[in-house]
Amino acid sequence: MDEPAAHRLDAGRRNDLVPGLLPDQQCDRRIHRPSCRHRAPPPDRDIGDHRKRRHSLHNRVPRRALARRRAVDLRSSAGRPHTRGRADHLSRRHRDPTRTHPAARSRERVQMTPRPLTRTAQTTLPTRDRSSPRERHTMQTSADHTTVMIRADELSKRYGHTQAVRRLGFAVNSGQICALLGPNGAGKTSTMRMLLGLSTPDTGSAMILGRPIGLGADVLGRVGVLIDGPAFVPHLTGTGNLKLLWSATRRAWPPPALDDALDLAGLGAAIDRKVKGYSTGMKQRLMLAQALMRAPDVLILDEPANGLDPAEVRTLREHLGALARQGAAVLVSSHQLAEVQQLATHIVVMNLGRLVTAGPLPALLGDNDTYRIQVEDPQRATAVLHRMPGIATVTAHDGEVIVAAPGTPSRDLVHALVTAGIGVTSVHQASRSLEEVFLTMTEGDDEHASH
């Protein structure tokens, strides 16, 4: 017997319902009809109830509607959510408040148990300070109560089979102009590069203003540098190159000592011309301007007088002397020994990567030990002076006697000559030139170069 029409209609609607869902969660199959490829299995196929429910959930209901229902279930359920990914991660963290993200746990460990610092790390920890430049760092003081601005401790550097620097150590204090001298290949440029963090020493350490040096160290912002020769962008003007170099400091233009630096460079209207048209001397003066425009506390200059005429060299010498009197420390390397003798207050001589000597220039030149004595009979005077105690060398030359007598006053020399009946015309102190001292200290080392 046929069923009534109303009963058949209700049965059809019941077949369209999804098992396991409430009436308000049902969806109309006639609007969202699944494709043939995902159609539910035929009713006569014998499969388990759980498989029937899975097919109905994923094939009869649109994915967006299913996702919305799952989100509703997630917010309303305290149990395990039905979705995966981010929602699943949030639900698990909601279930267990003690579980946190691994990065958060690592941050908590660092905050709760900070790693103890060693004594050395506590004294040299590079932290930024906003105090005045002269009071920014706690630096070491030398025996004469001046601040140690540059320090090299047992620096060594090897390039392949060549030992460029061997356990080199020296210090430059505030107010000093120290000349780093040595023949070609002695290791001067390698030493300067290690002092600036441009090269990493194999052993030893370098410090500037009491801070350990590395590439990009904050303390390098207080250092004026001229090393490896001028390096500019050719198509930019002189001013454009200075602005480009200054931009690396991330400070506002202009630099504090720009006017004084440009006056020293003396480029005039050429500062607004492209650098590719500059001569060698003009490029060198522009490089000096970029080193001096920041009003540095420390200057490290490699051959600063290259390409400068005598008047420009004298101007540079006077400017560096003024900076040293204001408390800056200057380390300069040069082969122009006559100019260095007029500029430097201290000398560091190195050869074959080793330190030969270091100290004040007057002490190295022996100003208080050497005398030129004009006498009537140089030959007899030489014999008399040789018999005196404390005499190092005696040389007769052009009617005078040159005597090196460490610790012996000139009046004792004159007394010995007059007692021997030798007439003395004049006596004055005679210092050796820096060139003589330098050649005396470095001669003979070339034969040991293979070692």
Side-chain angles (χ1 to χ4, degrees):
M1 183 175 181
D2 295 338
E3 296 180 345
H7 182 74
R8 289 198 303 271
L9 179 60
D10 293 339
R13 289 179 177 177
R14 286 194 299 269
N15 291 335
D16 288 340
L17 298 180
V18 179
L21 297 182
L22 298 177
D24 59 347
Q25 296 177 339
Q26 299 294 335
C27 181
D28 194 349
R29 278 186 61 192
R30 291 172 297 179
I31 299 177
H32 303 283
R33 184 176 299 277
S35 63
C36 297
R37 187 163 55 94
H38 300 288
R39 188 163 296 173
D44 56 344
R45 184 175 179 179
D46 188 13
I47 57 176
D49 292 338
H50 65 284
R51 295 186 62 185
K52 290 181 180 180
R53 185 175 184 274
R54 182 174 62 186
H55 280 287
S56 63
L57 284 174
H58 290 281
N59 297 332
R60 297 193 177 200
V61 182
R63 292 186 178 182
R64 290 185 179 180
L66 184 60
R68 285 195 296 270
R69 290 196 299 272
R70 285 176 173 174
V72 172
D73 294 341
L74 177 63
R75 289 192 297 268
S76 61
S77 173
R80 181 177 179 82
H82 297 283
T83 57
R84 297 180 182 179
R86 180 64 178 168
D88 190 35
H89 169 69
L90 293 175
S91 64
R92 289 197 302 270
R93 192 168 63 180
H94 176 73
R95 291 196 309 273
D96 187 2
T98 62
R99 296 185 62 179
T100 57
H101 194 273
R105 292 197 299 271
S106 64
R107 286 194 297 270
E108 293 174 358
R109 287 196 298 269
V110 171
Q111 293 175 359
M112 292 186 298
T113 59
R115 185 177 62 181
L117 297 175
T118 62
R119 183 179 182 85
T120 303
Q122 290 174 347
T123 56
T124 61
L125 191 64
T127 57
R128 182 176 291 275
D129 197 342
R130 296 299 183 183
S131 58
S132 62
R134 296 293 182 184
E135 301 174 357
R136 187 172 297 170
H137 307 293
T138 302
M139 294 174 285
Q140 298 177 346
T141 57
S142 59
D144 57 355
H145 303 289
T146 57
T147 304
V148 179
M149 309 286 272
I150 305 173
R151 177 178 292 278
D153 290 324
E154 301 292 325
L155 288 180
S156 296
K157 185 66 178 180
R158 175 183 290 274
Y159 299 100
H161 297 289
T162 303
Q163 186 72 43
V165 181
R166 306 165 185 261
R167 302 177 64 86
L168 180 66
F170 65 91
V172 183
N173 301 338
S174 61
Q176 294 181 356
I177 301 177
C178 180
L180 183 62
L181 305 180
N184 289 330
K188 303 184 298 298
T189 302
S190 296
T191 300
M192 287 186 164
R193 292 180 63 85
M194 287 188 286
L195 289 175
L196 294 170
L198 299 175
S199 178
T200 304
D202 298 334
T203 61
S205 62
M207 301 183 71
I208 292 181
L209 299 173
R211 292 293 189 89
I213 288 299
L215 189 61
D218 291 342
V219 73
L220 293 177
R222 302 168 62 191
V223 181
V225 179
L226 193 161
I227 192 170
D228 295 336
F232 297 107
V233 181
H235 66 273
L236 293 181
T237 63
T239 303
N241 275 279
L242 294 181
K243 288 183 177 180
L244 179 63
L245 293 170
W246 180 251
S247 64
T249 65
R250 298 182 180 179
R251 295 162 61 184
W253 178 268
L258 178 63
D259 293 338
D260 293 339
L262 292 179
D263 290 342
L264 174 67
L267 293 173
I271 194 68
D272 295 323
R273 286 166 37 196
K274 292 185 178 180
V275 172
K276 65 181 180 180
Y278 282 15
S279 64
T280 301
M282 295 172 68
K283 292 179 180 179
Q284 185 74 6
R285 283 181 282 161
L286 185 62
M287 200 67 185
L288 284 171
Q290 71 82 24
L292 298 170
M293 67 182 181
R294 63 184 66 197
D297 297 321
V298 173
L299 274 168
I300 297 181
L301 309 175
D302 188 12
E303 300 289 351
N306 276 359
L308 303 184
D309 59 36
E312 294 166 349
V313 171
R314 182 180 63 182
T315 302
L316 175 62
R317 179 173 67 245
E318 294 173 351
H319 191 84
L320 294 180
L323 290 177
R325 288 189 293 272
Q326 295 172 8
V330 182
L331 179 64
V332 57
S333 173
S334 178
H335 289 291
Q336 301 181 15
L337 300 182
E339 177 59 32
V340 168
Q341 187 170 351
Q342 300 181 61
L343 171 67
T345 62
H346 291 69
I347 299 292
V348 174
V349 180
M350 58 185 302
N351 194 20
L352 301 177
R354 300 189 302 266
L355 177 67
V356 177
T357 187
L361 179 61
L364 294 178
L365 296 181
D367 286 347
N368 299 325
D369 298 336
T370 305
Y371 303 94
R372 294 181 180 272
I373 307 175
Q374 290 185 349
V375 295
E376 297 176 351
D377 190 347
Q379 299 300 327
R380 287 184 56 203
T382 301
V384 170
L385 294 175
H386 266 305
R387 292 193 293 268
M388 289 185 62
I391 302 299
T393 61
V394 180
T395 304
H397 181 69
D398 292 339
E400 66 180 8
V401 178
I402 303 173
V403 184
T408 303
S410 59
R411 62 176 180 270
D412 293 346
L413 301 178
V414 173
H415 182 269
L417 293 173
V418 172
T419 302
I422 302 173
V424 177
T425 305
S426 65
V427 178
H428 60 275
Q429 289 181 335
S431 61
R432 297 177 295 172
S433 67
L434 180 58
E435 180 181 359
E436 295 173 351
V437 174
F438 175 77
L439 293 177
T440 301
M441 291 180 177
T442 58
E443 66 183 2
D445 283 345
D446 292 340
E447 64 186 16
H448 303 292
S450 60
H451 301 289

